[in-house]
Amino acid sequence: MAEIPENNCPKCNKPTLSPYAKQCRYCGYSWHHLCVAQFKLNHVLQITGRKFFLIGQIIEGEVKEGQRIDLRMLGLNRKPKIEAIEFALYRQNKKAWEEIALGTDILTEDEKQYLKKIDLPKIIEIIS
């Protein structure tokens, strides 16, 4: 499951030099501007009958429904659409805090299990 993700130019669709490159070596197109936010992923959660949620904090930028979560940094070649944004309330040792929950339905069961097993927290990008 932890295969090296593919990365193709969004303009000419040719492969980049690395899985994380944001500039095409063929046509020169740069897509650094597509990143609209950075998100610190702390937890993942699936509630029966609900979406699969990626839970954490917005580090920088603004997150909206319809944007995509770039999971390539986590080893999945997926960019699922954000279908819901909710608050997640946590309580521990008589303290409470809220985090942001980004919901999606597009991931397979294997991909969900993979995300549940990786070491968190991780910083991921939200793209337009």
Side-chain angles (χ1 to χ4, degrees):
M1 179 65 74
E3 64 209 35
I4 296 176
E6 289 182 22
N7 189 19
N8 294 332
C9 173
K11 186 173 181 182
C12 73
N13 205 33
K14 291 186 179 174
T16 60
L17 284 173
S18 81
Y20 310 110
K22 292 187 178 185
Q23 186 166 353
C24 181
R25 63 183 167 161
Y26 296 101
C27 71
Y29 180 69
S30 171
W31 57 96
H32 290 91
H33 65 283
L34 295 180
C35 177
V36 295
Q38 288 190 334
F39 187 78
K40 181 180 179 186
L41 178 61
N42 294 326
H43 315 279
V44 295
L45 175 67
Q46 175 78 61
I47 301 172
T48 305
R50 304 274 322 269
K51 297 182 184 321
F52 183 77
F53 288 98
L54 292 91
I55 302 169
Q57 295 127 8
I58 300 169
I59 303 296
E60 182 181 320
E62 186 176 338
V63 177
K64 299 178 184 175
E65 288 182 19
Q67 293 171 333
R68 297 192 174 272
I69 306 164
D70 191 346
L71 298 178
R72 291 177 298 169
M73 295 299 281
L74 303 178
L76 289 177
N77 190 23
R78 297 299 297 265
K79 299 174 191 172
K81 184 184 279 190
I82 299 170
E83 298 170 349
I85 301 174
E86 300 183 15
F87 288 106
L89 178 63
Y90 281 91
R91 291 189 177 130
Q92 187 176 27
N93 299 329
K94 298 183 180 182
K95 293 182 180 181
W97 68 95
E98 285 185 341
E99 292 186 319
I100 304 294
L102 307 177
T104 186
D105 278 332
I106 196 87
L107 299 174
T108 67
E109 287 304 315
D110 285 344
E111 291 167 335
K112 292 175 187 178
Q113 290 305 316
Y114 172 78
L115 289 173
K116 289 177 182 179
K117 292 178 182 176
I118 62 173
D119 290 330
L120 295 174
K122 301 271 190 209
I123 304 295
I124 57 175
E125 292 183 340
I126 307 300
I127 57 177
S128 57

